[in-house]
Amino acid sequence: ETGVTQSPTHLIKTRGQQVTLRCSSQSGHNTVSWYQQALGQGPQFIFQYYREEENGRGNFPPRFSGLQFPNYSSELNVNALELDDSALYLCASSPAGTAYEQYFGPGTRLTVT
Amino acid sequence: QKEVEQNSGPLSVPEGAIASLNCTYSDRGSQSFFWYRQYSGKSPELIMSIYSNGDKEDGRFTAQLNKASQYVSLLIRDSQPSDSATYLCAARTGNQFYFGTGTSLTVIP
């Protein structure tokens, strides 16, 4: 069974640019969530997708947006990058029919200069 | 006030001892609680979840939930050096998830 995968592993962008991060859910998982983890902090919930619809969102501005595809893979898009967007971005998927236990991918380290 | 609060530590215990990690949450509507372990430079790894008041045991780990006190804890028995990591507590309220900042645990051989 393949776990949650994310790409790319590392990314360097310039302030003002746009970025797309990708996530493939673990087999059998139909819910995906995205988190931002700054150094020394816990993960901050960005949003959750279920059946291709956003069904939960944290305190992040609209320039953070996402998509979930029919195969349950997902994208996180961030527009107008700011220096404070530099962080580890984590994707987590949950199995169908369980009580929200989430399994994390390895993350994408984004650096904004 | 943060939704989920943890003592950042560091917490040090000798090998073989019991490590006790604590977490409080502010929203009485929180329904599910989770403990994750995160090694430096790695992503969080689910240890266990708990939804009902009381204790839940899984191997060397025991999670405890007290909804009246809005308190969650994790006990690690027979601590091993490989348990040295940051432990994250998380709470789910509806479709929102809140993580604490984590407690750093060091198990001394």
Side-chain angles (χ1 to χ4, degrees):
Chain A
E1 183 179 270
T2 305
V4 180
T5 60
Q6 293 186 243
S7 63
T9 305
H10 297 88
L11 201 53
I12 300 175
K13 289 286 190 178
T14 302
R15 188 172 52 184
Q17 287 187 317
Q18 178 266 342
V19 68
T20 298
L21 309 181
R22 294 179 174 82
C23 170
S24 290
S25 300
Q26 189 168 327
S27 177
H29 292 193
N30 64 357
T31 302
V32 64
S33 300
W34 284 91
Y35 293 84
Q36 179 194 68
Q37 187 175 25
L39 203 60
Q41 300 297 313
Q44 297 293 309
F45 177 67
I46 302 175
F47 43 58
Q48 180 182 84
Y49 277 82
Y50 172 69
R51 293 185 175 179
E52 303 175 53
E53 296 286 332
E54 183 183 297
N55 73 341
R57 190 177 183 94
N59 189 25
F60 279 82
R63 61 188 184 86
F64 286 79
S65 63
L67 285 171
Q68 186 184 30
F69 300 100
N71 65 354
Y72 305 128
S73 65
S74 177
E75 289 182 352
L76 165 65
N77 299 289
V78 187
N79 293 321
L81 284 167
E82 302 177 358
L83 296 178
D84 285 349
D85 295 333
S86 294
L88 179 67
Y89 287 85
L90 295 160
C91 168
S93 69
S94 303
T98 68
Y100 300 93
E101 290 186 345
Q102 299 185 319
Y103 298 85
F104 283 87
T108 294
R109 174 71 62 186
L110 173 65
T111 302
V112 182
T113 61
Chain B
Q1 181 184 7
K2 292 185 179 179
E3 297 282 346
V4 175
E5 298 209 41
Q6 297 181 254
N7 187 328
S8 61
L11 174 66
S12 295
V13 299
E15 184 174 355
I18 296 175
S20 178
L21 304 160
N22 304 314
C23 167
T24 59
Y25 60 95
S26 61
D27 190 339
R28 287 196 173 273
S30 295
Q31 297 144 300
S32 313
F33 305 89
F34 308 88
W35 283 100
Y36 286 84
R37 176 174 61 194
Q38 187 171 27
Y39 293 111
S40 181
K42 301 293 185 182
S43 61
E45 173 191 7
L46 179 66
I47 299 173
M48 62 194 305
S49 58
I50 187 165
Y51 318 110
S52 304
N53 277 329
D55 295 359
K56 180 180 178 182
E57 185 174 320
D58 184 359
R60 295 187 295 113
F61 299 96
T62 298
Q64 300 173 318
L65 173 60
N66 183 326
K67 290 187 177 181
S69 301
Q70 296 176 242
Y71 178 89
V72 191
S73 67
L74 180 70
L75 300 177
I76 306 174
R77 290 182 298 280
D78 188 23
S79 294
Q80 300 298 309
S82 59
D83 294 326
S84 297
T86 296
Y87 288 79
L88 297 163
C89 173
R92 179 183 69 84
T93 305
N95 290 332
Q96 297 268 348
F97 293 82
Y98 301 95
F99 278 77
T101 56
T103 298
S104 175
L105 172 66
T106 300
V107 180
I108 303 167

